[in-house]
């Protein structure tokens, strides 16, 4: 009897040992699978953020409908691009592709809202010539305008943009015509972060004797830190801004999570404040961290529509 019990105990121990072995084997296999999935996800995210998400240009196309728009600007096509950061993830081939995407849409107006390069990037004479060569190819029927961002060296920026046939609005304005005598006012603001912004000087048009108080006002700016004050004081109809990159890394239900200096509040692609429409570019290059997430490089392509 004792020997039978001992034998049963031994059998039971063997069964328990075998069961433990099977459980351990399952846990090891599960651990290996989880580890493999984590490694795979890491490489997929790495590939996406450093390669896929920084390549290709998304064209954000929409109609900009405004009853205040002059009749002569109904149907005008405007493209905004921003934050080139040449030398980060954007080089000559990517710039060629960008210019091709712009010209395919046959814009009437093109606006650039700051930051040609990252501040610590050394832009050789050869690279300068590459940028100028491509930007010169941008073709418009009305004009090309640019303003400086916080990363831009004033002399270098002026050189590149002037030779690329862009008109630089450095705290100044231009009265822009299309066909008839009902123009729009294009106001350009320099960098807020670098203490170069002179808002009163930029809006000097309203101090002239011949100014039209009802003129349609378009503001170009990079950083938006003082945008609320500008909206309150001057009530522009339309604002194009850059710098924020829409957060560079965007998460579902959260939005952009990286705050650029000078753009702490307005980071989403679009806002409407009272009667002002605000377009914030996600930019082209990828500064600092060198990648993007759920936020591809893009240009804004607007068709102006005058509503009744």
């Amino acid at each position: 009897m004792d020997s039978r019990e001992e034998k049963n105990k031994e059998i039971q121990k063997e069964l328990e040992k075998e069961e433990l072995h099977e459980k351990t084997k399952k846990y090891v296999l599960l651990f290996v699978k989880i580890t493999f999935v984590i490694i795979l996800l890491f490489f997929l995210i790495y590939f996406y953020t450093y390669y896929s998400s920084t390549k290709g240009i998304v064209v954000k196309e929409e109609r900009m409908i405004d009853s205040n728009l002059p009749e002569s600007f109904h149907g005008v096509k405007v493209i905004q691009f921003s934050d080139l950061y040449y030398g980060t993830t954007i080089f000559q081939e990517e710039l060629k592709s960008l210019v091709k995407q712009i010209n395919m849409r046959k814009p009437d107006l093109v606006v650039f809202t700051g930051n040609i390069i990252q501040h610590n990037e050394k832009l050789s004479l050869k690279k300068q010539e590459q940028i100028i060569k491509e930007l010169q190819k941008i073709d418009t029927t009305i004009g090309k305008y640019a303003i400086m961002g916080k990363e831009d060296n004033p002399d270098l920026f002026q050189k590149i943009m002037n030779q690329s046939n862009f008109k630089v609005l450095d705290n100044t304005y231009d009265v822009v015509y299309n066909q008839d005598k009902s123009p729009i006012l294009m106001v350009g603001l320099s960098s807020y972060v670098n203490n170069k912004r002179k808002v009163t000087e930029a809006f000097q048009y309203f101090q002239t004797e011949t100014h039209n108080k009802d003129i349609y006002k378009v503001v170009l700016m990079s950083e938006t830190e003082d945008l609320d004050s500008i909206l309150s004081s001057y009530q522009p109809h339309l604002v194009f801004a850059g710098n924020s990159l829409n957060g560079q890394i965007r998460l579902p239900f959260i939005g952009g999570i990286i705050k650029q200096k000078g753009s702490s509040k307005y980071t989403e692609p679009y806002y409407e404040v009272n009667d002002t429409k605000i377009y914030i570019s996600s930019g082209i290059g990828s500064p600092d961290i060198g990648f993007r997430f759920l936020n591809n490089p893009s240009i804004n392509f607007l068709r102006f529509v005058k509503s009744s």
Side-chain angles (χ1 to χ4, degrees):
M1 187 74 176
D2 290 341
S3 61
R4 188 182 299 164
E5 285 182 1
E6 288 176 1
K7 192 170 184 180
N8 286 339
K9 284 182 180 179
E10 287 178 7
I11 293 171
Q12 186 64 31
K13 283 182 181 181
E14 287 295 325
L15 289 172
E16 290 174 355
K17 188 176 179 181
E18 189 173 333
E19 186 179 349
L20 180 61
H21 177 74
E22 288 299 319
K23 283 184 178 180
T24 303
K25 186 178 177 182
K26 286 181 181 178
Y27 286 133
V28 170
L29 285 172
L30 180 61
F31 175 77
V32 170
K33 287 179 181 178
I34 292 172
T35 302
F36 175 77
V37 169
I38 290 172
I39 292 172
L40 181 62
L41 283 173
F42 172 80
F43 278 106
L44 287 173
I45 291 172
Y46 177 84
F47 178 82
Y48 173 79
T49 54
Y50 279 95
Y51 298 99
S52 178
S53 68
T54 60
K55 304 299 179 184
I57 305 293
V58 174
V59 180
K60 297 179 178 178
E61 180 177 354
E62 64 177 88
R63 298 196 306 164
M64 198 287 299
I65 304 171
D66 196 330
S67 60
N68 296 299
L69 195 70
E71 192 68 48
S72 59
F73 279 82
H74 175 77
V76 162
K77 293 180 287 185
V78 182
I79 284 181
Q80 176 202 13
F81 73 107
S82 190
D83 304 288
L84 193 62
Y85 287 114
Y86 194 86
T88 54
T89 52
I90 300 298
F91 300 91
Q92 189 174 19
E93 287 306 310
E94 288 78 18
L95 184 54
K96 282 182 180 179
S97 176
L98 169 66
V99 172
K100 184 179 179 181
Q101 290 277 11
I102 291 173
N103 283 339
M104 278 173 58
R105 280 142 184 99
K106 300 184 178 186
D108 300 295
L109 274 167
V110 168
V111 297
F112 176 71
T113 46
N115 298 322
I116 292 178
I117 59 171
Q118 193 165 283
H119 68 277
N120 56 359
E121 178 73 17
K122 300 297 181 184
L123 201 61
S124 65
L125 185 60
K126 182 179 179 181
K127 287 181 179 178
Q128 292 176 38
E129 290 171 350
Q130 288 172 351
I131 295 171
I132 292 167
K133 179 183 176 182
E134 297 308 321
L135 293 184
Q136 281 178 341
K137 295 176 184 176
I138 295 177
D139 191 25
T140 66
T141 62
I142 298 175
K144 303 189 290 189
Y145 292 87
I147 52 95
M148 280 184 278
K150 68 180 190 295
E151 308 285 342
D152 291 313
N153 173 283
D155 293 335
L156 182 58
F157 186 88
Q158 289 280 357
K159 174 189 174 182
I160 290 174
M161 284 305 177
N162 287 340
Q163 292 186 27
S164 301
N165 304 316
F166 277 75
K167 184 166 186 175
V168 177
L169 297 179
D170 186 21
N171 294 318
T172 187
Y173 66 86
D174 193 27
V175 179
V176 184
Y177 289 86
N178 183 40
Q179 299 174 355
D180 71 6
K181 296 181 180 180
S182 298
I184 63 174
L185 181 70
M186 191 82 72
V187 177
L189 297 170
S190 196
S191 172
Y192 175 88
V193 170
N194 295 338
N195 295 316
K196 300 290 186 181
R197 183 165 294 176
K198 299 175 182 178
V199 178
T200 304
E201 186 176 307
F203 281 91
Q204 267 189 346
Y205 169 82
F206 295 102
Q207 309 304 317
T208 64
E209 293 182 5
T210 58
H211 81 270
N212 171 12
K213 65 182 179 62
D214 297 320
I215 195 168
Y216 192 87
K217 300 181 287 292
V218 180
V219 172
L220 308 182
M221 62 198 310
S222 182
E223 308 100 75
T224 54
E225 208 69 14
D226 59 342
L227 179 54
D228 287 339
S229 172
I230 293 165
L231 295 177
S232 173
S233 299
Y234 296 98
Q235 296 87 45
H237 298 91
L238 179 61
V239 173
F240 289 109
N243 190 61
S244 82
L245 303 172
N246 295 157
Q248 193 163 347
I249 293 177
R250 294 183 65 82
L251 300 177
F253 310 111
I254 296 175
I257 61 172
I258 294 180
K259 302 291 186 183
Q260 294 289 335
K261 189 175 182 181
S263 299
S264 61
K265 179 179 179 180
Y266 292 96
T267 59
E268 292 300 306
Y270 177 76
Y271 296 87
E272 189 160 348
V273 180
N274 297 324
D275 293 324
T276 303
K277 296 173 174 60
I278 304 164
Y279 291 87
I280 313 288
S281 173
S282 71
I284 303 297
S286 306
D288 301 322
I289 57 176
F291 66 86
R292 293 167 171 261
F293 188 73
L294 299 179
N295 184 16
N296 289 78
S298 71
I299 59 178
N300 287 324
F301 176 36
L302 305 184
R303 296 176 185 269
F304 280 3
V305 176
K306 179 177 174 59
S307 62
S308 55

